[in-house]
Amino acid sequence: MKKRLSLALLACIVSYVSLADVEVSEKDQVVAEVSLLEGPHVIYQQDKTLVLNGKPKNGQMVLETTSHSQLTQVKVYKGGEKPVTFTVPLKQQIANAAVTSPAPDKIFAMSDVEGNFNTVTHMFKTHGVIDNDLNWHFGKNQLVIIGDVFDRGNHVTELLWLLYRLETQAKAQGGAVHMVIGNHEMMNLQNDLRYVEPKYTAFAKLVAAQHHLSYAQLFDEHSELGRWLRSKNAVIKIGDYLFAHGGMSIAMLEQKLALSTINQTLRGAIDKPKTQRNELEKLLFGRNGPMWYRGYFMPLPNSPMINDQDLSKVLAFYNAKAIAVGHTIVDKPMSRYNGKVIAVDVKHPADHLITQPKRISYGVMIEGDKVFVVDEDGNKTPIKLDN
């Protein structure tokens, strides 16, 4: 049986559709409800902790607020075709994430997952990272998300909470979860909302009206997700491999910066206005910095494409054999520069859109000195070399 949705509700589902009246299926009703669900967001105030959730009511999003004197966990509900509920214990302390780690037997990496919870969890299950209850199942191995969980998708918050929970579970088993900061994480932390889906700005308006909090305050140092994200790094090293969302440029190498210095500099300037940044901060936040660099794939103004010799110098300085990056889309993961660059960013299937032809999700599995392309069907093939 089909029902009708108004333009206002449909606009919350897909921002680029503009029709006066659209007939939709029962499946579309489920997608519509997802566009009205958001949260939880944990906000710390002087004498209380607020938990904020967006809930659907009569075809609109309404704000549900609970106040707590003490809060030890939150419940996350991911709606849609495959609804799930999971509980997340809150961390008592959040320390800055490790910049370097010894090599485990396996590293599973994905990039630019953009809030697509169903796609990500399917990939995780298929390749043994989590079990059917969304719990860590990867033992002492390590998971790397190479930036851009934020924007374009409708399950960003739920996916952040899942990674937050998996981080604790992995550590208990001797493994690790690495959430590398990409340009879209940094944009959201700095209140740059150019690519934010409409449901998040709608939620922020409700929060502003009832609690006088801005979108930026949902991810500032007084929020749990903001505290957690501010502990993450923009570039890390695991064994012989570097991981950065954009990459490491020759302009960065000229500064002879330790990885810890890069991350500390970026972390310290998150809340600094652009006009107040020093020259090093301008470099690291710019096109030649680790979050925005595209020089392994294309030249940009004031950011030339790197050559093999300079790339070798970058890797030698950090005693690395290769760097895995996202940010620049490829059809499927591949290596460039004779194996020195591992390109991981693909256009994953979107939870909230149907695309033709159907997109396929990919990641990479690193086992010692071997790198494999893995897909949503469980296939595993050696990565293709491309000069």
Side-chain angles (χ1 to χ4, degrees), residues 105-120:
D105 292 338
K106 296 181 180 180
I107 303 169
F108 181 73
M110 293 180 71
S111 181
D112 298 73
V113 295
E114 296 178 342
N116 292 308
F117 189 99
N118 296 342
T119 292
V120 171

Side-chain angles (χ1 to χ4, degrees), residues 178-238:
H178 304 275
M179 169 74 188
V180 175
I181 295 295
N183 61 308
H184 283 267
E185 277 74 40
M186 191 59 74
M187 289 168 73
N188 277 259
L189 290 176
Q190 296 181 321
N191 204 33
D192 184 338
L193 312 183
R194 281 177 283 170
Y195 300 97
V196 172
E197 285 291 299
K199 67 173 266 187
Y200 301 106
T201 52
F203 177 75
K205 288 179 181 178
L206 293 175
V207 174
Q210 296 188 34
H211 297 290
H212 306 291
L213 297 171
S214 67
Y215 179 94
Q217 288 175 289
L218 298 175
F219 297 104
D220 71 7
E221 66 275 15
H222 301 295
S223 72
E224 185 65 12
L225 288 176
R227 291 173 63 230
W228 180 67
L229 287 165
R230 279 168 167 73
S231 74
K232 303 308 168 197
N233 298 305
V235 55
I236 63 172
K237 184 183 177 191
I238 305 174

Side-chain angles (χ1 to χ4, degrees), residues 108-111 123 127 333 344 346 348 361-365 372-376:
F108 181 73
M110 293 180 71
S111 181
M123 285 286 287
H127 296 285
V344 184
V346 302
H348 300 282
S361 186
Y362 295 98
V364 298
M365 188 78 77
F372 300 93
V373 176
V374 296
D375 68 22
E376 60 188 47

Side-chain angles (χ1 to χ4, degrees), residues 252-267:
M252 290 178 60
L253 177 63
E254 291 170 353
Q255 301 298 314
K256 304 295 183 184
L257 301 172
L259 296 180
S260 58
T261 301
I262 294 170
N263 291 307
Q264 288 170 6
T265 302
L266 286 167
R267 193 178 291 121

Side-chain angles (χ1 to χ4, degrees), residues 330-346:
V330 292
D331 290 336
K332 65 168 60 177
M334 59 182 291
S335 75
R336 295 178 59 80
Y337 295 88
N338 296 306
K340 296 184 183 74
V341 172
I342 303 168
V344 184
D345 178 16
V346 302

